[in-house]
Amino acid sequence: MFACIHSNHGDLFALASSFSPSVERTSPGTVVFSIAGLGRLIGTPHQIAAEIGRCGASLGMQARGIQANLAMANNPDTAVLIATNKPGVTIVPPGKEADFLGHLPIEVLNTSPQLLETFERWGIRTLAALAELPEIGLAERFGEAGVYLRRLALGRTQRALHIATPEIKFEKRVELDHPLELLEPLLFVLSSILNELLSAMRRLSLAANRIHLGLELENKSRHERILEFAAPIQDASMLLKILHLDLEAHPAAAAITAVKIELNPVAPQSVQHGLFLPSQPEPQKLQLVLTRIAGLVGEHNVGSPAPLDTHRPDAFVMLPFRPPAPAATLATAEIRRRTSLQIALRMFRPALQANVRVKQERPAEVAATGVRGTVLTASGPWRTAGEWWTETRWMRDAWDIDLSDGGVYRIYLQLDLRRWFVEGVYD
């Protein structure tokens, strides 16, 4: 059997979850859940209904005149229709669904206005009148929708519940007895919080891909740090080391009075190792390596480059590193294998300053760091310019050249500075 609770007040999901793990949020203010097996624990349907009412009263659902409707039936749709349209407690015996639904108006059905208007023209105003119509006639005129509505009016529908997943938050706030100014005692507090949160995550087979650290300071300000990880992490010691390195690079401005940590839960990443392949580092250790590199070169210089929506050459922004999924990597490799040979331009960052001798308005000789030779062939120029209203404005003439040193290069003349640069080499 199934039970449905309808009320505009109270935590219905918590009440239903205390009786069954199979709970569906049908609509705002309505939940339906399975009560199969509760007969052995509680007793008859009347005793189950009384126990649900007692728990609801303890949660405050009957305080201040608040009243919830409860219906129990052999299928969830019948329970929902009765609970949302009949006050009080209703227990529908098996086989009597049509008797309890018959008096309800046709408008209680969640169907299209066109169907309701058609039923109104036919004089069908209750579910009992709809149930008396022949099933074949409804199928001929309305198809599967008409057959379903008739079964709904008879209380003969059967379906599985759409189980609602409760929102689980992994966060904890700790107020400190004394303000902390040193990093070492703070790490002791962080370690305790991380071990507790990640232990709860591991019990649910979850990992963290983002951490939000909030430090409340003695000067009434806050120190916020949000770190995203390239791979989900389940190891508390590794996550503590990442926070340690980040706090060394971004220390708080005053003594700390309270700590709050929030972890974002995701499915853990698994790696399939090959029998004849060399072992690879654990994906979780990748974030620790990236954090160490960010401490040396700066966090804005570590990540994955993404092109900007502009025509400016070599315009990109650094985003947090996200390794591609194995399936996507294999698909990309397969596409590259099937396509014809292509030439790639390996960029020099920054571009190499060059001395270029021009003959008849075409580059004839090029000399730069590691690049030197006579131009055998040259294609160009291709002039590009834009963003003249910003500091990133550009105006250049680009050439593709074949040098006597055996390399093929992209060079350009920066017109506003009248300087030559070697932008990259073709592989």
Side-chain angles (χ1 to χ4, degrees), residues 24-42:
E24 172 188 288
R25 285 192 176 99
T26 307
S27 62
T30 304
V31 295
V32 59
F33 55 97
S34 173
I35 57 174
L38 290 182
R40 296 181 178 180
L41 298 175
I42 299 177

Side-chain angles (χ1 to χ4, degrees), residues 146-169:
V147 177
Y148 172 74
L149 292 178
R150 182 177 182 275
R151 293 176 181 175
L152 199 63
L154 290 170
R156 297 177 182 174
T157 60
Q158 292 293 337
R159 66 176 179 86
L161 295 178
H162 302 287
I163 306 301
T165 303
E167 183 180 0
I168 303 176
K169 289 188 175 181

